[in-house]
Amino acid sequence: MRTLCSSTLIGEFFVIGFAALVAMKDPGLSTSTVWLVSGIAMVLCLALCGVLTRPGGVALGWALQIALIASGIYVPTMYFMGAIFAALWWASVHYGRKIDEAKARFAAQSTQDSPSGA
């Protein structure tokens, strides 16, 4: 699960950076505010890569997905991009867990099948 979710988060890191460049063109937003909020979100993406397997890591990822969709208020394209990344996040968590379970079953089966003397 960690590999798939981390890949999604790294993709979001770049999308948030590009969205910040678009948001800077909004005359109602200051450049420092845009980069402060975007910078925090980008750092959160990277930090989440390290805590995905800990309790609450996936929930924080969902919170990030909701925030990404909500950022569509300022950059309307982010409604679409946020929905795409939320779907990718769901797929990463869902199929990542299935892959982890299959790996665990395979490892248990291979230790059972191996000769005890080897």
Side-chain angles (χ1 to χ4, degrees), residues 1 5 44 48 51-67 89 93 97:
M1 178 180 78
C5 289
L44 183 59
L48 275 173
V51 298
L52 282 170
T53 56
R54 294 193 177 134
V58 173
L60 283 173
W62 279 114
L64 180 66
Q65 304 314 311
I66 292 167
W89 182 253
V93 171
R97 286 184 176 154

Side-chain angles (χ1 to χ4, degrees), residues 5-50:
C5 289
S6 292
S7 299
T8 301
L9 289 168
I10 296 300
E12 283 184 83
F13 173 87
F14 289 108
V15 167
I16 292 168
F18 291 130
L21 293 172
V22 173
M24 283 183 9
K25 300 211 183 262
D26 186 344
L29 300 172
S30 71
T31 303
S32 59
T33 302
V34 168
W35 283 111
L36 177 67
V37 172
S38 298
I40 289 171
M42 291 169 80
V43 168
L44 183 59
C45 284
L46 296 178
L48 275 173
C49 288

